[in-house]
Amino acid sequence: LNELEKGVLVATFVQGSLGLFRMCLGDVFSGAYTLLLATVGFNARHPGPASNWLKTYVLITFINGTMGSIDLVQQMLLHNFPVVLAALPLQVNLMHLVQLSLPSVSFFGAYCGWQHIKMQRKVAMEVYQQQLIMMMEQAPWPPPPLPFPLPGHDGQGMPPLGFPPLHG
């Protein structure tokens, strides 16, 4: 569970850094969106009330990675693929680097988050089963007598409805 938390931590840190790069390079809306998504993932990685947001982080991050991949394929088909070249200005190279790396970082964050959700469910189920087993092991035997007589039973050892008693 700790390894998956560290994976989500690394993914959200890189996502947040890429979001800041985007904002500094002029793409303020996409950068702020990426930074906000990284913040949600960062806060949701620990068990507790905020961990319910981990599902939201995984879903939106996966969609982000998918859309980023589709964008790269579309640009490749239009012969406008973002490449990093020494002949290009530094700002353009940085924007291309962010655009190329964001889908893989998003998929990594979604994978670690999903595995973390599965492990949290598994741990919760194991704890629940242990509590049930412990409760069943501590059940009183024989069970205590009822505080009231059963209907049709007179409390004298006679079975209900006039059946004869069993002798043993």
Side-chain angles (χ1 to χ4, degrees):
L1 206 56
N2 278 340
E3 295 84 19
L4 294 171
E5 277 186 33
K6 289 179 185 175
V8 173
L9 174 68
V10 168
T12 56
F13 178 74
V14 173
Q15 266 183 329
S17 300
L18 292 175
L20 285 174
F21 274 141
R22 268 193 159 163
M23 290 173 70
C24 290
L25 293 171
D27 191 1
V28 178
F29 180 76
S30 293
Y33 175 76
T34 305
L35 187 60
L36 178 65
L37 185 60
T39 304
V40 168
F42 179 81
N43 290 331
R45 74 187 195 284
H46 292 299
S51 67
N52 291 333
W53 285 95
L54 190 58
K55 297 173 189 173
T56 304
Y57 168 75
V58 167
L59 177 67
I60 296 175
T61 301
F62 182 78
I63 291 171
N64 245 13
T66 304
M67 293 306 294
S69 299
I70 290 172
D71 187 39
L72 288 176
V73 170
Q74 178 184 357
Q75 289 185 6
M76 183 180 67
L77 293 174
L78 294 174
H79 303 290
N80 190 22
F81 194 73
V83 291
V84 178
L85 298 173
L88 293 174
L90 178 63
Q91 187 175 2
V92 174
N93 279 335
L94 285 175
M95 194 57 160
H96 286 177
L97 191 61
V98 167
Q99 196 172 5
L100 288 169
S101 59
L102 201 56
S104 58
V105 171
S106 294
F107 285 134
F108 177 70
Y111 174 78
C112 288
W114 180 249
Q115 295 302 321
H116 191 43
I117 289 169
K118 287 179 14 183
M119 286 300 292
Q120 282 180 342
R121 284 182 184 169
K122 182 180 176 186
V123 167
M125 186 57 73
E126 288 174 358
V127 168
Y128 176 71
Q129 287 175 347
Q130 288 175 351
Q131 288 174 346
L132 279 178
I133 289 172
M134 208 166 69
M135 190 172 70
M136 292 173 73
E137 286 176 350
Q138 296 176 357
W141 193 256
L146 294 173
F148 54 87
L150 292 173
H153 194 273
D154 61 359
Q156 304 295 332
M158 292 296 295
L161 304 174
F163 288 110
L166 295 175
H167 299 288

